[in-house]
Amino acid sequence: VMAPLNDWLEDDGALLRLRLARPKANIVDAQMIAALHGALRAHGSQPKLRAVLLDAQGPHFSFGASVEEHLPAQCADMLASLHALVLAMVEFPAPILVAVRGQCLGGGLEVALAGGLIFAAPDAQFGQPELKLGVFAPAASVLLPYRVNQPAAEDLLLSGRSIDAAEARTIGLVHTVFEDPEIAALRYFNEHLAHKSASSMALALRAARGGMLRDVRHRLAEVEQLYLDRLMQTRDANEGLVAFLAKRQPQWEHH
């Protein structure tokens, strides 16, 4: 079986490359989450590391998480591991640049949000469609307000709509729109990060994130509990997931 992730070091250990390697969907499932977390753990203490570049093979960044893993039997484990990855990314001692083409949805967008600057191709599409399935996106609920303003975050979280790269740039979700986002991210790294002190940058990043680090840790636990103890006890959340897997319209009863 092909590994779900390719990871390698470039520039004499200054840049860690992470590439989702299960095109075209690059589903953020248990294996992908474990591979990402493992790669960050393996390289996190690399003393010369100045940045990470996360991108994806194929035409799409990621269609999102595995809907099967959201079913009651697996969702507690899935959320725990995804949120541990999100925390590892938010707390990582080097900036994580993210290059996005095509669809970047659901759990895929949550992983992108846990990184730093997002570089997007003009064809990129960003969305949190969870509510269409009768569930909400816990990590995105916590991270989106740090990336965009509160009304823009609520728009994406409640409408479930996808926005294009231009709109994502307008609301501040995307840093740069460029035909080849990998090249744009590498250019940013070479111009702005490669010549910095790795140790100073790690501390500058921690200083810049300040209260966000504490808040994300606290709020992730809070929304995870809300999801498991309240949402998954409702009829509609279970109906939405089952309907999606059965490829039929959900029938809401509003409880």
Side-chain angles (χ1 to χ4, degrees):
V1 184
M2 291 291 289
L5 181 77
N6 296 332
D7 63 290
W8 69 97
L9 288 164
E10 287 180 356
D11 291 314
D12 190 31
L15 182 65
L16 170 62
R17 300 292 303 263
L18 301 177
R19 180 167 288 163
L20 308 184
R22 287 236 176 107
K24 73 180 188 188
N26 289 315
I27 294 293
V28 179
D29 59 6
Q31 284 177 295
M32 184 72 85
I33 291 167
L36 281 164
H37 204 157
L40 291 172
R41 211 180 277 123
H43 298 291
S45 52
Q46 184 82 12
K48 293 185 289 187
L49 193 66
R50 260 88 94 208
V52 181
L53 173 51
L54 170 64
D55 60 17
Q57 274 181 28
H60 300 288
F61 183 79
S62 173
F63 287 177
S66 156
V67 176
E68 286 82 359
E69 289 179 9
H70 279 74
L71 293 171
Q74 283 175 277
C75 74
D77 290 345
M78 184 273 302
L79 284 185
S81 62
L82 179 59
H83 293 171
L85 169 63
V86 163
L87 276 180
M89 290 177 71
V90 170
E91 294 176 345
F92 198 72
I96 300 176
L97 311 178
V98 186
V100 173
R101 307 170 173 280
Q103 304 286 335
C104 179
L105 303 175
L109 180 49
E110 291 184 311
V111 168
L113 292 171
L117 300 179
I118 297 175
F119 300 80
D123 75 338
Q125 295 278 329
F126 300 88
Q128 297 290 168
E130 283 84 350
L131 200 53
K132 294 178 178 180
L133 278 62
V135 295
F136 66 83
S141 301
V142 174
L143 296 170
L144 259 177
Y146 279 103
R147 310 299 302 255
V148 301
N149 61 44
Q150 185 70 24
E154 290 180 12
D155 166 32
L156 290 174
L157 292 164
L158 301 180
S159 72
R161 72 190 183 96
S162 288
I163 59 173
D164 62 16
E167 186 175 352
R169 171 96 176 71
T170 303
I171 64 172
L173 179 60
V174 161
H175 183 264
T176 302
V177 180
F178 191 71
E179 206 52 56
D180 187 329
E182 182 194 346
I183 286 175
L186 286 169
R187 189 178 294 159
Y188 184 92
F189 169 75
N190 287 319
E191 281 180 24
H192 300 299
L193 305 177
H195 307 295
K196 302 286 196 293
S197 155
S199 53
S200 296
M201 189 147 58
L203 294 171
L205 185 59
R206 188 191 299 181
R209 297 217 153 156
M212 173 195 173
L213 294 177
R214 285 189 298 274
D215 187 47
V216 168
R217 200 179 295 122
H218 171 75
R219 292 260 300 125
L220 269 179
E222 200 174 68
V223 294
E224 193 173 315
Q225 202 175 358
L226 187 67
Y227 192 101
L228 297 172
D229 297 351
R230 300 280 301 280
L231 180 76
M232 290 313 293
Q233 307 307 316
T234 66
R235 179 223 167 253
D236 280 358
N238 292 281
E239 158 67 10
L241 294 168
V242 169
F244 177 85
L245 292 171
K247 295 183 167 54
R248 63 171 174 80
Q249 283 298 312
Q251 302 297 314
W252 304 131
E253 288 178 12
H254 313 292
H255 63 85

